[in-house]
Amino acid sequence: MKISTKGRYGLEAIVDLAIHSSEGRVNLKSIAERCGMSEAYILQIFLILRRAGIVESIRGAQGGYVLARDPSQITVGEVLTVLEGPLAPVPCIAEKSKRSKSACDRFENCTARSFWERVMNTLSDVANSITIEDLVKCYNSSISRNIELEYYI
């Protein structure tokens, strides 16, 4: 399975939003500048995330975006699934209606199906066990280590 730029950029932008949430509303231009991404592309991603209830938009001159819930309540798996769809290595496993003939004509007799299901379940378990708050803590930890290293250099 390959995560597209939409998934990668979306996750990075959500983490940036969480990092800067203490500043209140965060505008897309500042997220785009910090992350080195196109503001137009981030807008497309945030429209999807807003419809999914992950972010909220606030209109007006002082408008911007905020997380719709606490970062500890939003998982990496939720963000990636909203942006990418099911975290499945093969299409036939991703379908909830996978038992239909349209998904794969060999589904019922597939010798590798249990392997693909196990890969998807493991990936989903890991992604759903890591929250945006965890990624913010990881980021803050790496920043403090870099500051410490700069002090000694």
Side-chain angles (χ1 to χ4, degrees):
M1 177 182 164
K2 185 175 181 180
I3 304 294
S4 71
T5 55
K6 185 183 347 177
R8 294 191 325 266
Y9 287 10
L11 185 59
E12 186 176 347
I14 285 292
V15 173
D16 184 82
L17 178 61
I19 290 166
H20 295 279
S21 63
S22 63
E23 301 166 15
R25 302 168 184 124
V26 180
N27 65 47
L28 293 182
K29 183 177 182 178
S30 63
I31 295 172
E33 288 173 357
R34 283 190 298 266
C35 295
M37 300 173 197
S38 158
E39 186 177 346
Y41 194 47
I42 292 177
L43 173 60
Q44 291 175 8
I45 291 169
F46 271 51
L47 290 174
I48 297 167
L49 295 171
R50 184 176 57 81
R51 282 192 297 269
I54 294 174
V55 299
E56 293 177 352
S57 62
I58 298 151
R59 294 177 170 242
Q62 300 300 315
Y65 284 85
V66 295
L67 292 174
R69 297 178 306 222
D70 190 86
S72 66
Q73 301 301 311
I74 303 169
T75 67
V76 169
E78 180 182 6
V79 173
L80 290 178
T81 301
V82 164
L83 295 173
E84 298 285 343
L87 301 177
V90 292
C92 62
I93 300 300
E95 303 288 324
K96 286 292 180 199
S97 60
K98 57 188 171 190
R99 301 198 193 327
S100 72
K101 292 283 183 192
S102 63
C104 177
D105 59 349
R106 297 184 334 210
F107 183 82
E108 293 301 325
N109 299 320
C110 179
T111 57
R113 186 178 75 215
S114 63
F115 168 74
W116 296 124
E117 288 174 340
R118 189 168 172 195
V119 169
M120 181 183 74
N121 292 336
T122 301
L123 181 58
S124 293
D125 289 347
V126 171
N128 290 324
S129 72
I130 300 170
T131 66
I132 299 304
E133 180 182 59
D134 295 331
L135 295 180
V136 169
K137 287 178 182 176
C138 183
Y139 171 82
N140 289 334
S141 174
S142 70
I143 292 298
S144 66
R145 274 192 301 239
N146 287 340
I147 292 170
E148 289 172 14
L149 288 175
E150 289 173 8
Y151 177 78
Y152 292 108
I153 293 176

